[in-house]
Amino acid sequence: MAQQSRGVEVDEYGSPRSPLNSCGTTWERRMSAQLVWRDRNEIPQLDPSVGLPHSEAVESTLTDFYQITMCYAYWKAGKENQHAVFDLFFRKCPFHGEFAIIAGVEEAVRFLNTFHFSNDQIEYLKGQLPTAKEGFFDFLKKLDCSKVTVYAIPEGSIVFAKEPLMRIEGPLAVCQLLETPLLNLLNYASLVATNAARHAMASAANPGNRPIQLLEFGTRRAQGPDGAMSASRYSYLGGFHGTSNVRAGHLFGIPVVGTHAHAFVTSFEGLRDLEGEPKPLGTCEDFVQLVLQYRAEFNRKVATKPTMQNEGELAAFISYALSFPKNCLALVDTYDTIHSGVCNFLMVALALHSLGYKARGIRLDSGDLAYLSKEARKLFKATSKAFDVPFDSLAIVASNDINEKVIMALNQEGHELDSFGIGTHLVTCQAQPALGMVYKLAELDSTPRMKLSQDVEKTSIPCRKALYRLYARSGVAVLDMMQHSADPPPKEGDRIFCRHLFDETKRCYVVPSRVEQLLVCIWQEGKSVGHRPSLKECRDHCIQSLKMVRSDHLRTENPTPYKVSASGVFYDFFKDLWQKTSPIFELQ
Amino acid sequence: MAQQSRGVEVDEYGSPRSPLNSCGTTWERRMSAQLVWRDRNEIPQLDPSVGLPHSEAVESTLTDFYQITMCYAYWKAGKENQHAVFDLFFRKCPFHGEFAIIAGVEEAVRFLNTFHFSNDQIEYLKGQLPTAKEGFFDFLKKLDCSKVTVYAIPEGSIVFAKEPLMRIEGPLAVCQLLETPLLNLLNYASLVATNAARHAMASAANPGNRPIQLLEFGTRRAQGPDGAMSASRYSYLGGFHGTSNVRAGHLFGIPVVGTHAHAFVTSFEGLRDLEGEPKPLGTCEDFVQLVLQYRAEFNRKVATKPTMQNEGELAAFISYALSFPKNCLALVDTYDTIHSGVCNFLMVALALHSLGYKARGIRLDSGDLAYLSKEARKLFKATSKAFDVPFDSLAIVASNDINEKVIMALNQEGHELDSFGIGTHLVTCQAQPALGMVYKLAELDSTPRMKLSQDVEKTSIPCRKALYRLYARSGVAVLDMMQHSADPPPKEGDRIFCRHLFDETKRCYVVPSRVEQLLVCIWQEGKSVGHRPSLKECRDHCIQSLKMVRSDHLRTENPTPYKVSASGVFYDFFKDLWQKTSPIFELQ
């Protein structure tokens, strides 16, 4: 059943079938080779000012099959063009916290802009729906987002549970098809941005109030290649300063960082690896000799256990310094962190200093980071004193299994770290690897719709809604309030009655000094609407946005829930509809 | 600082700068537009029989920046062509288990085949390494995997902690650059395949020994778009039967499944939504009337609480059946699962049956799945009896927050489920979202290299090694044994002395009935070597491979560790090298 494509027999991966892999399978091959090889320039775009999605996997078929079957059933029932309003939201903040950061909005716009079904996708779907009428596929073929309107809270904003983060309006069938890809694009992006923001806040709370550089090191542990790209991008948005991921640096302009690994150190056996031609550096004709002179002096004045110094490691550091004299940061834990690694680094740093170069510092990748950072700092200071050099504030980077809790424990104990390189815990969001965003029908042909649940808090909130953030005179956000989108917006200075939607005992009046409309139109009639902020702008907005709420909403232990409320009118409407819709159980 | 590209001013996303997004940022834009728009056909391939990687993110720059800086330092030190041997392995099996499934090998071959630095990547790297010599970039420009040789355990095999899963040999610089992308490609793939295999084993252990269909439903919760694609692909490899992900179905030939969501049900308000033209189905001219006749009869004979039946839900099921008469599976928990959903479904199923169509069953997405499945089955049986129809074995699919533990709890309690749809827990591997694969230098220019650690078990295992699986006469694998690759391989019938590498008290003799060489050459001199199995073949191999070890290695609670050992000769060599390399601490 292998398919023919451009005259070449291909396997199910779209590869030409060679003699080596043609002893093949009997498995039916549905794959068409073009799918993999499609030229991205051929993808139609509604709005030429908007770029393509950054992953080629972001296309109309990155969706659950039930969206297609539902779409067919809508079409068959003549409902495909009913005017639908969907809300995208989550019910519970991640990481046992009381906030999240919304991210993925720019990618969502790129997806809306290119949404369509190609001929080969249509052919595939025909195979999957053999009994569907031909007219349905004609309908699919013409489908795009030119009749869809989308509102979203700006990317990088602080957001809360149960409020609509995105409102999607338009013909029922196409809005339904957008559910899975939009959830995919926003769920992980928002989760990792939130995780990054939490790590940034934890690291900022160090006892010395030192500014801490946060570096994302997760490419190898991320959930697949694009998982790595998203992790780098949205960690930066959430407040990180750099990434090790070169492709993310290249594609998104994030600063890239990195020095060397253990393999570099173990690739040197000893100083004999540096024999041969003398190695000049700057004004020095033989840098190796210069380091060895400093070694002798350092071991007289500072080191306590010179026999523990590994010469392969010293050779590696010398070699690295020859390559990066202005940017020398050494991984010091291959043999013994303090007595070998830090000492070998300091000898090289002294030699560099004598030539006018400033070494950057060290990286710790194992052991007790609080203790080792303090011991290393002591050696830095001792060296400063013994050699009259400015080594007190050389950088100490930590990169072993760091997470939010580890950072807080290090703050508690006190440490001398200047930077954290965070991988696994950041990018896989180990503390909670999924954010449960959902996408619910709120209104159809101007009639409110709700999905009931035996758990009333899981009931979806009906109607086309507007969402406002009300600020106090101090500039701090007091609460978010939703209401019917057609109702007049709350105004500065008005006394506004707000209610908790699921707890009738919670209500308050607010007199806002400022009112912010949170859901902003980003897509209308096939065009991107409004300013599309750059990644850096989203990052700045995120940092700013976190400052607009009280710190007790942000803390790790028992944070205070931020108030997400409804107008009095909306509350009454919601309760009334629930009473009418929910079945009353008949007990026997 | 916006770049010019093809005469169009572009933003940092590579989009043409429109008036809307040009009110811009002062942020330096390093991005080159071509990166996003590059035609994939331009990517050079060493072996034309091998396809491109499935994600365009899989390229040379999907790596940590320190690989590039190290590469420069190797080049500067004249070490770039030293012959290196790296091992890829993990130290601890995931999910508190004692096994894993290796996956991602095919993708690794595709990556090796296309590894190169494009001109725009080189330009970017020049900007990041402003002091590096020009010759280094000429060196990078010419780099590919034509001098690299890779051995791997076949994709889908059961594998264990601390044994080499992949051996990468070739010039030091290029092998170093492969570290991050290879780890990225194998880490998550193996993790999710292992997770899927564990779910498959848990579901197979149901009390009724019913064959259970396992469906991957995770696209919306996966970690980014390609995360979703990898999740679908490797869940299938690990033993799942289908996915909801249409693109994965299309690209990899995995069976796709899906019916409808709550939104479909709530989009219908009542039977008036079906008014208008009569709806014919098969030989029946008005299917709605037919269902209503069956409703009257069903409520007389079977239903106990007809007032709880929601008519909007019934309208939705009728509409769905009109679209998919041969494949009607209803989501029954929008209002009340048993008294509304299951009853409404059965009325429709009876009408379908009378026309010669067989309904498929129901999906439960909330509530107590054990209880609800049993109650639903009772209603199925009552309907069979009352109407003399074969409804006893209609399918019951469960899809709410399922994971391995939930499945085992359901087995314990007893249930009537035929299928699980699993999303979040499967694709994000919530129980352990990262597998800690590492990539360590084992040999350089024929000299063994090891990375020490204060924790001896974290010491890397030096040398170019071969790995053998020794089987007992029963066909069961007894242990895996590593040794120097140059030593003669163990032979069937020989009495072989095997030792635990880190515990000198553990040793044994094995007389194998069969010996399997586990590390097989997959890439040599720029060519793919050997048969490249299809996804389906890898899946079959995985299912087979799990049967080759004792079940106590696979169980969830306190599994027995499988023996990963070394030959006696290798053990002695390893201990000797450790003694020579490890520094002896000087206590004061």
Side-chain angles (χ1 to χ4, degrees), chain A residues 12-13 27 31 41 59 64-65 69 79 110 184 219 244 247 251-252 259 266-267 307 449 534 586, chain B residues 12-13 27 31 37 59 64-65 69 79 110 184 219 244 247 251-252 259 267 307 449 534 586:
Chain A
E12 77 272 27
Y13 290 112
W27 184 41
M31 232 299 286
N41 288 303
E59 50 180 2
D64 293 305
F65 187 57
T69 51
K79 290 165 73 73
R110 289 163 178 256
N184 178 284
T219 304
S244 67
R247 191 170 187 269
L251 203 54
F252 304 127
T259 53
T266 55
S267 80
T307 57
R449 301 297 165 117
S534 70
E586 308 247 358
Chain B
E12 77 273 26
Y13 290 113
W27 183 44
M31 231 301 285
W37 291 86
E59 50 181 2
D64 293 305
F65 188 57
T69 51
K79 291 166 71 74
R110 287 164 180 256
N184 178 284
T219 305
S244 67
R247 191 169 187 269
L251 202 55
F252 304 127
T259 55
S267 80
T307 57
R449 300 298 164 118
S534 71
E586 307 249 359

Side-chain angles (χ1 to χ4, degrees), chain A residues 129-359:
Chain A
L129 297 171
T131 59
K133 306 266 183 229
E134 187 64 27
F136 173 63
F137 299 105
D138 297 337
F139 165 74
L140 276 191
K141 188 83 196 91
K142 289 185 201 124
L143 222 52
D144 62 26
C145 289
S146 56
K147 290 176 188 155
V148 175
T149 301
V150 179
Y151 295 75
I153 300 181
E155 185 151 10
S157 302
I158 184 168
V159 295
F160 305 97
K162 297 199 185 79
E163 63 190 16
L165 308 178
M166 195 177 250
R167 191 175 74 217
I168 298 91
E169 309 176 0
L172 176 59
V174 64
C175 291
Q176 183 74 66
L177 287 169
L178 301 176
E179 173 177 13
T180 311
L182 288 180
L183 287 173
N184 178 284
L185 290 172
L186 269 82
N187 249 328
Y188 176 63
S190 302
L191 184 72
V192 76
T194 307
N195 201 20
R198 295 179 67 93
H199 281 80
M201 288 189 291
S203 71
N206 69 79
N209 266 327
R210 260 203 310 280
I212 305 276
Q213 288 283 310
L214 288 177
L215 313 171
E216 179 270 314
F217 280 2
T219 304
R220 63 188 62 193
R221 301 284 165 83
Q223 301 204 339
D226 185 78
M229 294 300 294
S230 305
S232 303
R233 177 177 180 179
Y234 297 113
S235 296
Y236 183 69
L237 188 151
F240 270 53
H241 301 88
T243 179
S244 67
N245 181 344
V246 179
R247 191 170 187 269
H250 191 181
L251 203 54
F252 304 127
I254 305 169
V256 294
V257 288
T259 53
H260 66 83
H262 295 114
F264 184 78
V265 178
T266 55
S267 80
F268 290 82
E269 280 196 294
L271 290 168
R272 67 184 169 284
D273 289 358
L274 302 179
E275 281 167 9
E277 297 279 291
K279 314 268 185 291
L281 181 65
T283 55
C284 167
E285 284 183 13
D286 190 340
F287 185 67
V288 180
Q289 280 311 312
L290 184 65
V291 172
L292 294 182
Q293 285 162 25
Y294 273 105
R295 172 165 77 164
E297 198 176 344
F298 179 86
N299 283 343
R300 262 199 324 278
K301 293 181 172 173
V302 181
T304 53
K305 299 184 175 73
T307 57
M308 291 190 71
Q309 292 160 9
N310 184 296
E311 288 200 341
E313 186 181 54
L314 181 60
F317 292 173
I318 292 171
S319 192
Y320 195 77
L322 284 164
S323 293
F324 298 101
K326 294 179 180 170
N327 205 4
C328 183
L329 194 137
L331 175 64
V332 292
D333 70 333
T334 306
Y335 301 102
D336 183 277
T337 300
I338 300 297
H339 301 103
S340 184
V342 176
C343 291
N344 280 329
F345 161 73
L346 284 167
M347 299 162 196
V348 175
L350 285 165
L352 285 173
H353 181 78
S354 73
L355 299 173
Y357 300 109
K358 186 166 161 23

